[in-house]
Amino acid sequence: MGTLQLEVVTPDKTVVSSETEMVVCPGVEGEFGVLPQHVSLLSALKIGALRYRVGGKDEYLFISGGFADVNNNIMTVLAESAERAADIDTARAQAAKERAEKRLTAHDEAVDMARAEASLTRAVSRLHVAALR
Amino acid sequence: MPSLKDVKMKIVGVGKTKQITKAMNMVASAKLRGAQARIERFRPYATKYRQVLADLARKVEGNAHPLLAEHEEKKNCAVVMVTSDRGLCGSFNGNIITQALKLAKEKTDAGMSVSFACVGRKGRDAARKAGYNMLTCYADRMGSIDFALAGSVADEVINGYETLAFDEVWLVYGEFVSMGHQPPRSLCLLPLKALEDVDGDGGAADAPREGNGPHCEYVYEPKEEKLLAELLPRYVRVQVYRGLLDTSASEHAARMAAMDNATRNCNELINSLTLLYNKTRQAAITSELIDIVGGAEALNG
């Protein structure tokens, strides 16, 4: 059935570049899977876990602020940050989660709710991905 | 003629200066390597981003998004100026500042009021001194630039543009062309103009795309307009980040060149001072000899 070339690129480096059998992405309108020979697609992605299968084994990535482009059997994921499950700093994510929760419960006028919520989502899904390794 | 001791002291002093400039040169070259590597790593992202966005923009009607739309009345202009935090890098900062102030003057002459957003201490000081309104400034951050910094600068101007506080936003930075060439560059950040010719390497980046264009009609998720609304603000961030990375690499390259020059000048100075030292020494010996010979003559007399 052939393979799908997956490239995950962030402004600071190329995180993944490999032949995969399947990729599952957290799209803004729901999770979707991409198999080889997929139709050309451009989709924005949510903060969350990206799963891809290499040699029958699942690998997990944390993705935030990105979009995916599928064309000619090449899938490019451009994200503001992407981390392999093994590289996630759980202590930092845990600290970020607590900080965000505190900000959200503080009911302070000065707190930017949207930003606090986004950072909470990021921290929670980082921890979630880290637990999958 | 200066005394022997004075010349000696001067030679020692210049020698010490040389040590410092040489060390700075080496530090700059090490930092440049890091900065250059970052640009290399960033390039695939930026290129891909442009391609995707250009493809998408072609599908969508002209003024589909507020960031693409040009404001009819132009009254306020924001200039994002990226410079280094420290001097001793030749005319690098000066060039950027001159360019930015020239741009600001043009805009002022066109009847717009100009505000500055500065990254880097040198630029901040210059803009403040020139008396422009200061939007934000991030001093002492050039050593630790990251995407988040670019994001916060970009968000500020995007916010301003969308709320009609600004009608034009420009980015002025030092482009890294080569080790010996870092010209200042100004780029219109907002409104986003035709994406195809936004920056110089655009032609090369788009060319391969023509060959292997989409092999079938694209599926967009969510709809084109919504997707564009997601991607455009991020593109501004990408542009700002690019400015930061370029400036940081250029700064180190410029400093390397400047320090190389300084070291060479020190060598020259030491050479000419050594010559002077030897001459002075000889003159002193000669005059002493004359004294002795003169004294002996007088005794014999």
Side-chain angles (χ1 to χ4, degrees), chain A residues 29-44:
Chain A
E29 292 179 355
E31 203 163 68
F32 62 90
V34 177
L35 291 171
Q37 308 300 333
H38 195 279
V39 66
S40 292
L41 164 80
L42 184 65
S43 171

Side-chain angles (χ1 to χ4, degrees), chain B residues 119-155:
Chain B
V119 183
R121 199 162 39 174
K122 290 282 161 185
R124 180 199 66 181
D125 293 350
R128 200 174 272 168
K129 204 170 148 211
Y132 284 104
N133 180 21
M134 186 70 66
L135 202 57
T136 39
C137 55
Y138 298 86
D140 297 317
R141 284 298 303 272
M142 285 310 281
S144 59
I145 46 173
D146 52 12
F147 201 74
L149 174 65
S152 50
V153 177
D155 286 348

Side-chain angles (χ1 to χ4, degrees), chain A residues 9-14 28-30 32 38-44 65-67 69-73 76 78-80, chain B residues 38 41-42 44-45 48-49 52 56 147 209 212-223 227 230-231 234 237 241:
Chain A
V9 192
T10 68
D12 288 320
K13 61 174 187 254
T14 302
V28 279
E29 292 179 355
F32 62 90
H38 195 279
V39 66
S40 292
L41 164 80
L42 184 65
S43 171
F67 62 95
D69 172 68
V70 184
N71 192 22
N72 286 335
N73 225 10
T76 317
L78 296 178
E80 273 176 30
Chain B
R38 276 185 91 172
R41 289 199 300 261
F42 172 65
Y45 184 86
K48 187 70 199 167
Y49 209 112
V52 170
L56 186 62
F147 201 74
R209 186 75 174 180
N212 59 4
H215 71 303
C216 57
E217 200 53 36
Y218 257 88
V219 175
Y220 289 105
E221 192 177 320
K223 284 274 153 281
L227 202 52
E230 284 254 342
L231 297 191
R234 225 174 279 155
R237 272 181 240 168
Y241 190 51

Side-chain angles (χ1 to χ4, degrees), chain B residues 79 98-108 114 170 172 186:
Chain B
V79 178
T98 315
Q99 173 109 354
L101 292 182
K102 208 175 95 194
L103 181 77
K105 186 155 188 319
E106 271 171 30
K107 297 293 165 198
T108 317
V114 179
W170 288 78
V172 184
S186 45

Side-chain angles (χ1 to χ4, degrees), chain A residues 1 3-8 16 18-27 31-36 38 41 45 49-54 57-61 63 68-70 73-77:
Chain A
M1 194 171 87
T3 54
L4 173 75
Q5 174 75 22
L6 171 71
E7 308 266 347
V8 180
V16 178
S18 71
E19 297 282 333
T20 60
E21 288 141 37
M22 180 181 76
V23 181
V24 179
C25 297
E31 203 163 68
F32 62 90
V34 177
L35 291 171
H38 195 279
L41 164 80
L45 301 182
L50 181 142
R51 177 158 63 94
Y52 62 98
R53 184 170 292 166
V54 181
K57 225 175 130 253
D58 278 350
E59 305 270 352
Y60 290 91
L61 275 184
I63 295 274
D69 172 68
V70 184
N73 225 10
I74 300 171
M75 175 165 187
T76 317
V77 175

Side-chain angles (χ1 to χ4, degrees), chain B:
Chain B
M1 269 234 169
S3 82
L4 214 51
K5 200 177 165 211
D6 286 345
V7 182
K8 184 93 195 166
M9 296 267 279
K10 215 162 186 183
I11 292 177
V12 172
V14 175
K16 288 202 169 133
T17 311
K18 184 181 143 187
Q19 265 179 358
I20 293 171
T21 56
K22 207 164 182 183
M24 279 183 79
N25 174 300
M26 282 195 277
V27 170
S29 79
K31 282 192 177 165
L32 173 68
R33 223 166 300 141
Q36 238 177 329
R38 276 185 91 172
I39 292 190
E40 295 299 324
R41 289 199 300 261
F42 172 65
R43 225 160 248 166
Y45 184 86
T47 317
K48 187 70 199 167
Y49 209 112
R50 276 175 39 74
Q51 278 178 5
V52 170
L53 204 56
D55 276 354
L56 186 62
R58 266 197 287 275
K59 303 256 169 35
V60 184
E61 292 291 312
N63 290 350
H65 192 268
L67 292 185
L68 288 171
E70 206 152 320
H71 295 176
E72 279 168 19
E73 226 182 331
K74 299 206 169 188
K75 279 192 300 198
N76 297 299
C77 173
V79 178
V80 181
M81 172 157 61
V82 190
T83 56
S84 74
D85 282 327
R86 290 159 198 224
L88 289 180
C89 44
S91 58
F92 173 69
N93 286 317
N95 288 344
I96 298 177
I97 291 164
T98 315
Q99 173 109 354
L101 292 182
K102 208 175 95 194
L103 181 77
K105 186 155 188 319
E106 271 171 30
K107 297 293 165 198
T108 317
D109 289 345
M112 286 190 247
S113 70
V114 179
S115 343
F116 268 89
C118 294
V119 183
R121 199 162 39 174
K122 290 282 161 185
R124 180 199 66 181
D125 293 350
R128 200 174 272 168
K129 204 170 148 211
Y132 284 104
N133 180 21
M134 186 70 66
L135 202 57
T136 39
C137 55
Y138 298 86
D140 297 317
R141 284 298 303 272
M142 285 310 281
S144 59
I145 46 173
D146 52 12
F147 201 74
L149 174 65
S152 50
V153 177
D155 286 348
E156 186 123 358
V157 291
I158 291 170
N159 206 351
Y161 194 80
E162 279 177 340
T163 55
L164 305 183
F166 304 126
D167 307 304
E168 256 183 33
V169 180
W170 288 78
L171 173 71
V172 184
Y173 66 101
E175 195 185 15
F176 183 73
V177 176
S178 70
M179 292 292 294
H181 191 45
Q182 303 92 24
R185 228 183 120 163
S186 45
L187 183 96
C188 185
L189 217 51
L190 293 170
L192 284 164
K193 302 237 173 76
L195 286 158
E196 280 76 11
D197 49 48
V198 157
D199 56 3
D201 52 40
D206 279 344
R209 186 75 174 180
E210 303 301 325
N212 59 4
H215 71 303
C216 57
E217 200 53 36
Y218 257 88
V219 175
Y220 289 105
E221 192 177 320
K223 284 274 153 281
E224 285 94 327
E225 283 79 10
K226 261 180 147 177
L227 202 52
L228 205 58
E230 284 254 342
L231 297 191
L232 281 177
R234 225 174 279 155
Y235 184 66
V236 178
R237 272 181 240 168
V238 169
Q239 290 284 16
V240 174
Y241 190 51
R242 184 200 145 111
L244 292 181
L245 285 181
D246 261 33
T247 306
S248 126
S250 302
E251 176 201 345
H252 296 311
R255 179 162 302 128
M256 249 180 88
M259 287 301 120
D260 203 38
N261 252 336
T263 312
R264 215 170 315 130
N265 288 342
C266 281
N267 278 334
E268 254 170 51
L269 207 55
I270 288 177
N271 278 344
S272 65
L273 280 175
T274 313
L275 200 66
L276 180 65
Y277 176 76
N278 287 339
K279 270 187 188 161
T280 319
R281 191 170 56 93
Q282 251 168 1
I285 292 171
T286 313
S287 70
E288 256 172 56
L289 271 179
I290 290 172
D291 277 357
I292 294 168
V293 173
E297 287 288 311
L299 282 179
N300 286 344

